Amino acid sequence: MKLLAVGASYRTAPVATLERLAAPPAEFVRILDRLVAQPYVSEAVLVSTCNRVEVYAAVSGFHGGLGDICAVLAEQADCSPTALANHLYVHYDAAAVNHVFRVATGLDSMVVGEAQILGQLRDAYHWATDADSAGRLLHELMQQALRVGKRAHAETGI
Protein backbone atom coordinates (compact mmCIF):
# COMPACT_ATOMS: atom_id res chain seq x y z
CA MET A 1 0.00 0.00 0.00
CA LYS A 2 1.09 3.51 -0.80
CA LEU A 3 0.10 6.74 0.93
CA LEU A 4 -1.73 9.42 -1.03
CA ALA A 5 -2.89 12.84 0.20
CA VAL A 6 -5.31 14.73 -2.04
CA GLY A 7 -6.94 17.99 -1.11
CA ALA A 8 -7.83 21.60 -1.66
CA SER A 9 -7.06 24.48 0.63
CA TYR A 10 -7.25 28.24 0.85
CA ARG A 11 -4.01 28.26 -1.19
CA THR A 12 -5.41 26.32 -4.15
CA ALA A 13 -9.14 26.88 -4.28
CA PRO A 14 -11.55 29.79 -4.01
CA VAL A 15 -13.83 29.94 -0.98
CA ALA A 16 -16.83 28.89 -3.09
CA THR A 17 -15.08 25.66 -4.10
CA LEU A 18 -14.02 24.93 -0.52
CA GLU A 19 -17.59 25.48 0.64
CA ARG A 20 -18.88 22.99 -1.94
CA LEU A 21 -16.22 20.44 -0.94
CA ALA A 22 -16.68 20.86 2.80
CA ALA A 23 -18.53 18.09 4.56
CA PRO A 24 -20.45 18.41 7.80
CA PRO A 25 -19.60 15.74 10.39
CA ALA A 26 -22.91 14.00 9.70
CA GLU A 27 -21.62 13.24 6.17
CA PHE A 28 -18.16 11.94 7.16
CA VAL A 29 -19.11 8.28 7.48
CA ARG A 30 -20.92 8.28 4.12
CA ILE A 31 -17.92 9.87 2.39
CA LEU A 32 -15.43 7.57 4.10
CA ASP A 33 -17.54 4.56 3.12
CA ARG A 34 -17.62 5.85 -0.48
CA LEU A 35 -13.85 6.27 -0.47
CA VAL A 36 -13.00 2.79 0.81
CA ALA A 37 -15.56 1.26 -1.58
CA GLN A 38 -13.40 2.48 -4.49
CA PRO A 39 -11.24 -0.15 -6.22
CA TYR A 40 -7.85 1.40 -5.43
CA VAL A 41 -8.54 2.84 -1.94
CA SER A 42 -8.28 0.57 1.09
CA GLU A 43 -8.06 3.15 3.91
CA ALA A 44 -9.16 6.77 4.21
CA VAL A 45 -9.21 9.72 6.59
CA LEU A 46 -11.17 12.85 5.67
CA VAL A 47 -10.25 16.28 7.02
CA SER A 48 -12.85 18.95 6.34
CA THR A 49 -12.43 22.47 7.75
CA CYS A 50 -13.27 25.95 6.56
CA ASN A 51 -9.78 26.29 5.03
CA ARG A 52 -9.13 22.79 3.70
CA VAL A 53 -10.63 19.50 2.61
CA GLU A 54 -8.15 16.63 2.42
CA VAL A 55 -8.21 12.89 2.02
CA TYR A 56 -5.36 10.79 3.33
CA ALA A 57 -5.58 7.33 1.82
CA ALA A 58 -3.80 4.01 1.51
CA VAL A 59 -3.99 3.11 -2.17
CA SER A 60 -2.87 0.15 -4.24
CA GLY A 61 -1.87 2.33 -7.20
CA PHE A 62 -1.12 6.03 -7.61
CA HIS A 63 -3.18 6.82 -10.72
CA GLY A 64 -6.09 4.58 -9.79
CA GLY A 65 -6.17 5.90 -6.23
CA LEU A 66 -5.97 9.49 -7.42
CA GLY A 67 -8.84 8.92 -9.85
CA ASP A 68 -10.96 7.24 -7.18
CA ILE A 69 -10.40 10.02 -4.63
CA CYS A 70 -10.99 12.78 -7.18
CA ALA A 71 -14.26 11.14 -8.24
CA VAL A 72 -15.55 11.05 -4.64
CA LEU A 73 -14.45 14.64 -3.97
CA ALA A 74 -16.05 15.83 -7.23
CA GLU A 75 -19.28 14.07 -6.27
CA GLN A 76 -19.17 15.87 -2.90
CA ALA A 77 -18.60 19.23 -4.64
CA ASP A 78 -21.26 18.45 -7.27
CA CYS A 79 -18.89 19.11 -10.16
CA SER A 80 -16.83 17.13 -12.63
CA PRO A 81 -13.45 15.72 -11.64
CA THR A 82 -11.91 17.78 -14.45
CA ALA A 83 -13.32 21.02 -13.04
CA LEU A 84 -12.10 20.14 -9.56
CA ALA A 85 -8.63 18.99 -10.65
CA ASN A 86 -7.33 22.55 -11.08
CA HIS A 87 -7.90 23.19 -7.36
CA LEU A 88 -6.40 20.00 -5.93
CA TYR A 89 -2.93 19.23 -4.67
CA VAL A 90 -1.51 15.74 -4.49
CA HIS A 91 1.23 14.34 -2.25
CA TYR A 92 2.51 10.78 -2.51
CA ASP A 93 4.33 8.59 0.02
CA ALA A 94 7.10 10.59 1.79
CA ALA A 95 5.70 13.89 0.49
CA ALA A 96 2.29 12.94 1.93
CA VAL A 97 3.86 12.23 5.33
CA ASN A 98 5.65 15.58 5.20
CA HIS A 99 2.38 17.30 4.29
CA VAL A 100 0.35 15.80 7.14
CA PHE A 101 3.11 16.76 9.59
CA ARG A 102 3.03 20.35 8.27
CA VAL A 103 -0.75 20.35 8.70
CA ALA A 104 -0.55 18.91 12.23
CA THR A 105 2.00 21.51 13.35
CA GLY A 106 0.04 24.41 11.86
CA LEU A 107 2.79 25.23 9.37
CA ASP A 108 0.35 24.81 6.48
CA SER A 109 -2.34 26.96 8.09
CA MET A 110 -3.49 30.42 7.09
CA VAL A 111 -2.23 31.61 10.48
CA VAL A 112 1.07 29.78 10.94
CA GLY A 113 1.16 27.76 14.13
CA GLU A 114 -2.55 27.85 14.88
CA ALA A 115 -3.44 24.91 17.09
CA GLN A 116 -7.07 24.36 16.03
CA ILE A 117 -6.03 22.19 13.08
CA LEU A 118 -4.49 19.64 15.46
CA GLY A 119 -7.89 19.11 17.09
CA GLN A 120 -9.55 18.92 13.69
CA LEU A 121 -7.01 16.33 12.57
CA ARG A 122 -7.65 14.35 15.77
CA ASP A 123 -11.41 14.50 15.14
CA ALA A 124 -10.93 13.35 11.53
CA TYR A 125 -8.88 10.41 12.75
CA HIS A 126 -11.58 9.49 15.29
CA TRP A 127 -14.26 9.63 12.58
CA ALA A 128 -12.17 7.33 10.38
CA THR A 129 -11.56 4.95 13.28
CA ASP A 130 -15.28 4.86 14.12
CA ALA A 131 -16.13 4.28 10.44
CA ASP A 132 -13.49 1.52 10.27
CA SER A 133 -11.83 3.25 7.31
CA ALA A 134 -8.41 3.67 8.94
CA GLY A 135 -6.18 0.64 8.78
CA ARG A 136 -2.62 -0.01 9.83
CA LEU A 137 -0.99 2.59 7.56
CA LEU A 138 -3.30 5.46 8.48
CA HIS A 139 -3.37 4.55 12.18
CA GLU A 140 0.41 4.84 12.27
CA LEU A 141 0.41 8.03 10.20
CA MET A 142 -2.27 9.81 12.22
CA GLN A 143 -0.86 8.80 15.61
CA GLN A 144 2.59 10.02 14.60
CA ALA A 145 1.18 13.25 13.10
CA LEU A 146 -0.70 13.98 16.33
CA ARG A 147 2.49 13.40 18.34
CA VAL A 148 4.46 15.67 16.01
CA GLY A 149 1.80 18.39 16.24
CA LYS A 150 1.66 18.26 20.04
CA ARG A 151 5.41 18.33 20.30
CA ALA A 152 5.78 21.24 17.89
CA HIS A 153 3.29 23.31 19.88
CA ALA A 154 4.85 22.39 23.22
CA GLU A 155 8.51 22.81 22.30
CA THR A 156 8.56 25.66 19.78
CA GLY A 157 7.35 29.20 19.54
CA ILE A 158 4.76 28.44 16.87
Side-chain angles (χ1 to χ4, degrees), residues 8 16-23 30-31 53 69-81 83-85 87-88:
T17 301
L18 290 173
E19 286 175 346
R20 289 179 25 210
L21 273 171
R30 181 189 64 79
I31 296 167
V53 175
I69 294 167
C70 287
V72 172
L73 289 175
E75 178 184 290
Q76 174 66 23
D78 195 27
C79 68
S80 73
L84 187 58
H87 303 294
L88 296 178

Side-chain angles (χ1 to χ4, degrees), residues 24-132:
E27 292 290 312
F28 275 32
V29 172
R30 181 189 64 79
I31 296 167
L32 290 167
D33 286 347
R34 260 311 264 131
L35 285 162
V36 296
Q38 301 302 306
Y40 291 92
V41 179
S42 60
E43 303 176 34
V45 171
L46 172 68
V47 176
S48 182
T49 74
C50 58
N51 289 324
R52 76 178 63 244
V53 175
E54 295 181 334
V55 173
Y56 302 106
V59 298
S60 58
F62 175 81
H63 294 289
L66 180 59
D68 287 349
I69 294 167
C70 287
V72 172
L73 289 175
E75 178 184 290
Q76 174 66 23
D78 195 27
C79 68
S80 73
T82 306
L84 187 58
N86 293 330
H87 303 294
L88 296 178
Y89 46 84
V90 178
H91 302 287
Y92 189 62
D93 277 348
V97 173
N98 184 56
H99 176 72
V100 74
F101 287 0
R102 288 183 54 78
V103 169
T105 58
L107 292 174
D108 193 55
S109 295
M110 192 178 290
V111 177
V112 174
E114 65 92 7
Q116 186 177 10
I117 188 64
L118 188 58
Q120 293 165 329
L121 195 62
R122 183 181 305 106
D123 292 344
Y125 174 47
H126 286 275
W127 277 105
T129 299
D130 290 347
D132 202 28

